[in-house]
Amino acid sequence: MAEFEHRLGAVLAQRREQQLYRRRLTLDSPQGPIVRLDGADYLNFCSNDYLGLAAHPRLVASFRQAAADYGVGSGASHLVCGHSRPHQQLEEALAEHTGRSRALLFSSGFAANTGTLATLLQRGDSVFQDRLNHASLLDGGLHSGARFRRFAHNDVVDLARKMSAVEGPRLVVVDGVFSMDGDAAPLAELAALCRQQDAWLMVDDAHGFGVSGDNGAGTVAAAGLGQDDVPVLMATLGKALGTGGAFVAGSDTLIEALIQQARNYIYTTAISPALAAATLTSLTLLREESWRREHLAALIRRFRQGAEQLQLPLMDSQSAIQPLLVGDAGTALDMSQSLRQRGLLIGAIRPPTVPAGTSRLRITLSAAHSEEQVDRLLEELALCRPQ
Ligand SMILES: *Cc1c(COP(=O)(O)O)cnc(C)c1O
């Protein structure tokens, strides 16, 4: 069938023409403020390793020890015989850390979101999602069989209007911190609306867990909301926690239903027990090394102050995600490339990841950065901005 080859080739050609073609980098170093790429060192402002834990010596030591004790591969899905002691301990620790009855590990955030939405929703239900929700939430909602409605970004009034127009069970789904904009969802208002309308609220805290709230318990805890307010809490482990995988936390009923029904949970191999053990150490570090959150917060303030003085196009974000709005995809790509030539790694985020005309440099800060590195970033941004 030459048809498939031809069609795929046409899509690639079009992407190239529109400056939307994506390429992967191949790193020859661990994640960190400085990474090695094609034989040179780069200042890294594009990873989601917000606390600098991905290569932390204690995580590496836990991973090594658990690999020696439990092996590298889990060997099976959780329901067959892939669920080992480190997985169990991690689930219990995650439930405690988030103040939930129980937690359930998934092999990725994408699987957790699509699997949870497929399990929760059925025909006759309605799901309401912020337009800027992560692709995995949008896909999960679209494929769930429920009526699917998007509401304007962070617009509780628009959501309330759309919710009151439908009958039947309703689920509202938002990112706690939006991955490409860095701004936070108005969780207290959303929770109040859901309570008033007798709807459930699901929060994807991929970018808040580990970073916001006491001990890094996340944006939901920071907003003072518990399990009754946010019955479905999801977060990933591959960002601030520095490892990989994800979890969903909530009531015993929710977790048991996911174990019995979520196809993305049942029909997939459990993450490595060594990864689970390393993540347990991340949770310990969240409690013991609160300086990481404090230093990150100070760097965010420093960056925003400096960028304001330089009149760079900052977005309304208080998180570690500090995008600069460029607009045109080609310009964003050119800026990213000239920064690369000057030794800085910053991704150009273009459609379809963000709406057309809102291409941006997605700058991410980490507790592993120094103040000097942030100052260098500001200097280079001032030099490369479009004149
Ligand atoms: C990264 C991310 C995911 C996906 O998590 P993975 O573990 O990388 O699959 C889901 N939701 C949001 C908001 C994310 O940023």
Side-chain angles (χ1 to χ4, degrees):
M1 279 295 287
E3 177 68 23
F4 288 118
E5 182 75 20
H6 179 74
R7 199 193 305 159
L8 296 174
V11 171
L12 294 179
Q14 192 188 24
R15 287 237 163 165
R16 266 190 211 99
E17 254 164 49
Q18 298 174 336
Q19 308 270 21
L20 299 179
Y21 204 80
R22 302 168 190 222
R23 288 169 206 284
R24 301 172 305 171
L25 307 172
T26 305
L27 299 194
D28 290 305
S29 70
Q31 276 307 327
I34 295 172
V35 290
R36 196 151 185 86
L37 184 69
D38 298 331
D41 285 340
Y42 291 86
L43 251 177
N44 177 13
F45 288 103
C46 55
S47 98
N48 299 320
D49 181 24
Y50 302 126
L51 296 177
L53 296 183
H56 193 294
R58 280 176 64 188
L59 260 69
V60 176
S62 304
F63 189 95
R64 276 217 175 101
Q65 185 60 51
D69 294 345
Y70 293 91
V72 172
S74 68
S77 65
H78 284 277
L79 281 172
V80 176
C81 64
H83 187 73
S84 60
R85 186 57 58 195
H87 296 117
Q88 182 60 33
Q89 287 171 335
L90 177 57
E91 288 182 350
E92 289 170 14
L94 287 166
E96 196 192 325
H97 206 92
T98 55
R100 279 0 196 216
S101 306
R102 286 182 67 185
L104 186 71
L105 283 174
F106 281 79
S107 47
S108 76
F110 208 104
N113 280 337
T114 50
T116 300
L117 289 168
T119 302
L120 268 177
L121 294 166
Q122 58 183 38
R123 217 164 285 285
D125 298 347
S126 298
V127 58
F128 301 87
Q129 298 211 19
D130 190 291
R131 315 189 56 80
L132 297 189
N133 273 358
H134 190 262
S136 55
L137 293 172
L138 297 172
D139 280 15
L142 282 166
H143 299 149
S144 66
R147 216 178 286 115
F148 181 83
R149 294 268 186 287
R150 288 173 218 248
F151 59 92
H153 177 52
N154 277 349
D155 188 337
V156 183
V157 175
D158 185 43
L159 170 62
R161 185 160 14 91
K162 288 184 166 138
M163 280 175 87
S164 54
V166 297
E167 310 262 298
R170 288 161 304 170
L171 178 71
V172 174
V173 185
V174 294
D175 283 16
V177 172
F178 289 86
S179 51
M180 296 301 139
D181 291 53
D183 57 345
L187 291 180
E189 287 168 76
L190 289 166
L193 176 66
C194 288
R195 201 177 310 123
Q196 181 207 331
Q197 299 255 351
D198 194 28
W200 262 24
L201 178 57
M202 171 174 177
V203 176
D204 172 343
D205 209 18
H207 302 279
F209 185 59
V211 180
S212 348
D214 287 345
N215 293 324
T219 55
V220 174
L225 301 172
Q227 187 166 302
D228 292 342
D229 306 296
V230 180
V232 190
L233 172 63
M234 174 274 181
T236 62
L237 305 172
K239 287 161 185 158
L241 274 80
T243 59
F247 69 94
V248 173
S251 71
D252 189 53
T253 307
L254 172 69
I255 299 305
E256 276 305 315
L258 291 173
I259 294 173
Q260 304 304 320
Q261 294 176 56
R263 295 167 69 83
N264 298 8
Y265 180 77
I266 299 169
Y267 299 106
T268 198
T269 302
I271 60 169
S272 164
L275 201 62
T279 310
L280 267 166
T281 300
S282 303
L283 285 178
T284 305
L285 290 171
L286 290 190
R287 284 188 294 267
E288 290 180 0
E289 300 193 351
S290 58
W291 65 264
R292 288 179 186 273
R293 279 188 299 282
E294 288 152 22
H295 179 58
L296 176 59
L299 293 181
I300 294 168
R301 282 194 299 274
R302 191 180 187 91
F303 175 76
R304 288 189 65 84
Q305 269 169 14
E308 241 160 60
Q309 274 166 14
L310 293 167
Q311 296 184 313
L312 297 174
L314 277 174
M315 294 178 65
D316 181 23
S317 160
Q318 303 303 319
S319 73
I321 304 164
Q322 289 293 330
L324 294 182
L325 193 60
V326 175
D328 176 63
T331 311
L333 197 60
D334 287 346
M335 287 174 76
S336 169
Q337 277 163 357
S338 64
L339 287 161
R340 172 95 55 93
Q341 280 162 10
R342 301 187 54 89
L344 274 74
L345 212 54
I346 300 174
I349 306 289
R350 293 160 286 159
T353 305
V354 293
T358 72
S359 289
R360 63 202 66 180
L361 293 178
R362 182 176 181 271
I363 294 163
T364 51
L365 300 174
S366 159
H369 287 128
S370 66
E371 292 183 347
E372 292 70 30
Q373 288 169 334
V374 170
D375 293 346
R376 164 92 196 283
L377 167 67
L378 286 163
E379 282 162 30
E380 297 293 348
L381 288 171
L383 290 176
C384 87
R385 75 171 122 200
Q387 299 306 318

